[in-house]
Amino acid sequence: MLRNGMEEKPRTNKWKFAVYIGFFAGIIWGGVTMIGNYFHLTLLPPGFLIEPFFLHNYLMTAHGYIMGWLAYIVASIVAALLYTAFFAKAKGPWYGIGYGLFWWCVIFLLIGPVSGMTSWIGAMDWNSLITELCLFVVWGMFIGYSISFEFTDERIRDPRESKAK
């Protein structure tokens, strides 16, 4: 399309992009969670998100790891869709970092202890708490910054940039 004699960058479908980012966030950070559990950086199994629905012993098997990874992917897609709905135009990484902190608080302070997903925060070891906090922060920053960058990067839409090329 031409507008004022300039070629315009095609618009990204924000919902498809959110699913795409959520899918890869789940694959990457779910995999990192599995590695963290393998090296005993955290005592939570990778499938702790589905702990209320499955036995803990099952979640520690190979099938349980895969189920946990799939749950992480689904949760990441939902989180990316929610981020897109509320913060797609937010600039910078800080909203994503805050988003990851928000989800850590929701899971470890509210939903997790009540549903049996996690232990009460006072009963958990420091390694697990800090590892999970860091993973949620980088997970949130990955989702938030990826989505925000796509929908606020005005440099590529700047007419001066396209004239220089």
Side-chain angles (χ1 to χ4, degrees):
M1 284 185 193
L2 294 177
R3 188 175 80 181
N4 297 335
M6 304 299 252
E7 191 170 334
E8 193 176 278
K9 180 185 182 269
R11 294 273 178 198
T12 304
N13 181 321
K14 67 181 184 176
W15 303 113
K16 286 181 184 177
F17 188 76
V19 170
Y20 176 79
I21 292 298
F23 177 76
F24 282 103
I27 286 184
I28 294 167
W29 301 111
V32 171
T33 300
M34 288 186 349
I35 292 168
N37 180 265
Y38 179 79
F39 287 113
H40 303 291
L41 298 173
T42 179
L43 297 178
L44 291 174
F48 78 93
L49 293 172
I50 53 175
E51 184 99 27
F53 308 108
F54 295 94
L55 295 174
H56 181 78
N57 291 336
Y58 173 73
L59 292 176
M60 296 307 290
T61 65
H63 289 136
Y65 267 54
I66 300 301
M67 290 290 293
W69 205 353
L70 292 173
Y72 214 91
I73 291 169
V74 170
S76 296
I77 290 171
V78 170
L81 289 168
L82 288 171
Y83 189 91
T84 300
F86 295 109
F87 303 113
K89 295 291 185 176
K91 292 185 179 185
W94 292 107
Y95 289 94
I97 291 170
Y99 194 64
L101 284 171
F102 166 77
W103 279 110
W104 184 86
C105 289
V106 165
I107 290 173
F108 285 87
L109 299 176
L110 296 174
I111 295 173
V114 173
S115 68
M117 194 183 303
T118 63
S119 301
W120 292 96
I121 198 164
M124 292 181 71
D125 67 307
W126 282 99
N127 285 342
S128 294
L129 286 173
I130 292 171
T131 300
E132 294 295 335
L133 176 68
C134 292
L135 285 172
F136 270 84
V137 166
V138 294
W139 170 81
M141 186 172 64
F142 179 86
I143 289 173
Y145 200 53
S146 298
I147 291 170
S148 295
F149 188 79
E150 178 67 22
F151 297 111
T152 61
D153 186 22
E154 295 299 323
R155 178 183 54 81
I156 58 177
R157 293 181 183 93
D158 188 5
R160 294 172 292 189
E161 288 289 326
S162 57
K163 283 183 184 177
K165 291 181 181 178

